[in-house]
């Protein structure tokens, strides 16, 4: 069953999001040619392979996922280009942050560890992601074809995009 009801909201109430939710694309924070940050706290099993959050699809969007002990941020820039960056992710409960800084460098960080950053900058999303913002899976065309297809089955303690 691929019918998912999208929740229309002028702005997401991040305190209420949960795995399985899909929000209208326009309710997500502005990301076109802008810095953005996905942050929160999760609790997961060792070697988990599942999507935490995805917005958009292969043409333009971003996805944060766990892939067997790694936390991966993938960004499809809208120019038929996909950029990925990752860092080691522990089992259990941990805080995280990932996104794009104001120079267009991708970053991903676990807890108080130093962020892993992309070498090159200017990985800007050049167009608004057409597909909705999905929590705990990648609804529609996946942003990253190499991302796991499993739904999030850990615990999302906190999640926010700004």
């Amino acid at each position: 069953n691929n019918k998912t009801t999208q929740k229309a909201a002028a702005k997401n109430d991040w305190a209420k999001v949960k795995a399985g939710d899909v929000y209208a694309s326009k309710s997500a924070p502005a990301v076109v040619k802008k810095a953005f940050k996905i942050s929160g706290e999760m609790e997961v099993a060792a070697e988990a392979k599942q999507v935490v959050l995805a917005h958009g699809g292969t043409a333009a969007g971003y996805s944060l996922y766990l892939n067997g002990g790694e936390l991966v941020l993938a960004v499809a820039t809208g120019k038929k280009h996909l950029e990925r960056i990752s860092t080691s992710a522990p089992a259990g409960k941990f805080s995280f942050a990932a996104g794009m800084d104001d120079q267009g460098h991708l970053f991903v960080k676990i807890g108080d560890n130093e962020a892993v950053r992309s070498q090159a900058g200017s990985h800007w999303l050049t167009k608004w992601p057409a597909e909705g913002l999905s929590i705990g899976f990648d609804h529609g065309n996946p942003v990253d074809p190499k991302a796991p297809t499993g739904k999030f089955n850990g615990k999302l303690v906190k999640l926010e995009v700004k």
Side-chain angles (χ1 to χ4, degrees):
N1 184 359
N2 202 12
K3 289 187 179 185
T4 304
T5 305
Q6 289 196 8
K7 298 178 182 208
K11 198 168 178 173
N12 290 338
D13 180 351
W14 289 102
K16 294 181 179 174
V17 299
K18 62 187 185 311
D21 287 351
V22 179
Y23 294 89
S25 182
K26 293 289 183 194
S27 70
V31 293
V32 177
K33 297 186 180 170
K34 290 183 188 268
F36 67 93
K37 181 172 148 186
I38 305 162
S39 61
E41 193 175 351
M42 69 176 104
E43 192 170 346
V44 295
E47 301 297 309
K49 291 187 177 188
Q50 53 204 13
V51 173
V52 177
L53 171 146
H55 180 203
T58 50
Y62 53 93
S63 175
L64 183 68
Y65 60 89
L66 292 157
N67 194 14
E70 288 196 312
L71 183 64
V72 181
L73 174 68
V75 176
T77 62
K79 295 179 179 173
K80 296 192 177 179
H81 177 75
L82 179 75
E83 194 69 33
R84 274 185 211 96
I85 190 160
S86 64
T87 191
S88 299
K93 193 174 189 178
F94 60 91
S95 61
F96 63 90
M100 191 176 313
D101 68 18
D102 43 14
Q103 276 84 49
H105 292 268
L106 303 182
F107 68 89
V108 63
K109 169 182 161 126
I110 300 289
D112 294 329
N113 297 335
E114 192 169 326
V116 174
R117 296 186 178 279
S118 61
Q119 295 290 322
S122 298
H123 292 298
W124 304 112
L125 280 121
T126 57
K127 58 186 180 180
W128 191 270
E131 293 181 27
L133 173 72
S134 45
I135 312 298
F137 70 115
D138 195 339
H139 174 68
N141 288 318
V143 172
D144 183 348
K146 292 188 176 172
T149 54
K151 292 193 185 243
F152 189 83
N153 62 6
K155 183 177 179 189
L156 278 174
V157 181
K158 276 194 318 204
L159 181 65
E160 181 176 27
V161 181
K162 59 183 178 180

